[in-house]
Amino acid sequence: MHLSLLGLFVAYISNCYQPTAALSLQGPPKSDRKGFLHQGALILGGSVPLGGLLSVPEAAIAAPKLYEPPANSQVGKVHIITGASTGLGLESAKRIAAAGATVVLTSRTPTKGEAAVQQVQDYLSQKNVANSNIYFLTLDLDDLSTVQSFPERFSQLLPNTKVDVLMNNAGIEINKREITRDGFERTFQSNHLGPFVLTALLFPLLNRDGSRVVNLSSTAHSFAGVLDLQDLNFEKNYVGWLAYCRTKLENILFTQELQRRADAAGFNWFTTTCLHPGVVGTDIWRDNVAKGSDITSKLFYGSMKTVAEGANSQIYQATEKPTLLKKGRYYDEFCNVKQLESFAMDPASARALWEESEKLSGVAFKLR
């Protein structure tokens, strides 16, 4: 994605997000979308300084309250968090571990996994919390063989252990079309197909006394439009940012279909939700921002929510009492349920995506 388009996207999301001094459960006010798009057109035309667009009013910079699960509320619970070596996943691991959970972080390499575990332990030491139940397992969503072996490796790490929470946090956004070793467009596999397979294979290990799956989506799904089920691999007119938007829509449709099927199977112990974390300065943007100047990079990241702020909603959904969550729904960064566009609530598209995901991956997702 060109920087001007990236600025347009960030401006739109930032316009929807009004920082507050405390974590609000009321949600942001509605944005003036026409006004924003006019502003975006000026950006693209070079009429508005990028720095002015990405700056945040000084009065709005007060740090918002961070959602922290009550002490010891997660003792005895097991959380798996994908993509937890950096960013939102690592921040989630820290606060969930501080509440007493057994946490299994995933990373692409052992080096990153070991470093992440140490960072969590350092955080716990600062909080004067003792919790030795922090582990890591390697997982590369771009390689389905590591996804398929994950449940067995988890059971070897923690024998006879059930999973209370699976947080599908990992995701990418890239400029250039890449093909994985499994033959799929990389954004599609990393953001949807890999998590779909992982969830399918871990489902038998979920705790029947109450468990949940939390899927990280994005408000970027709004730009996807109706899902093109004939081009999930994005073989026609590839655009990196649009591929990302489509996978975020797929995350939402997958969440809805998973809940529908669980409900139909009588699994009232199961809850799945998805969310937009806000526009957060994580590593996901590095492929785009790295191409700009140092000044551009500072302005870009300076306009965003911090990682600590951005992790609020997913931590909330992973740890809050299940009776307070709306099953199968999409949440915003303020932990509020948000209404979706009709194309993001289409059961036919969700069902077709599920069936196509089974076909492409060769993994039948049987709820049992």
Side-chain angles (χ1 to χ4, degrees), residues 149-160:
S149 68
F150 187 87
E152 181 179 353
R153 290 185 286 120
F154 170 80
S155 293
Q156 291 173 349
L157 175 69
L158 298 172
N160 303 314

Side-chain angles (χ1 to χ4, degrees), residues 143-201:
D143 181 353
L144 291 181
S145 67
T146 74
V147 180
Q148 291 167 336
S149 68
F150 187 87
E152 181 179 353
R153 290 185 286 120
F154 170 80
S155 293
Q156 291 173 349
L157 175 69
L158 298 172
N160 303 314
T161 298
K162 294 297 183 180
V163 178
D164 294 282
V165 179
L166 169 60
M167 183 185 290
N168 285 315
N169 166 81
I172 63 168
E173 195 275 337
I174 56 178
N175 278 323
K176 184 179 179 181
R177 187 174 188 270
E178 300 176 9
I179 302 299
T180 69
R181 63 180 298 171
D182 300 297
F184 302 109
E185 190 274 318
R186 187 181 170 204
T187 309
F188 170 64
Q189 181 166 335
S190 291
N191 293 1
H192 168 69
L193 193 62
F196 175 88
V197 172
L198 181 66
T199 307
L201 297 178

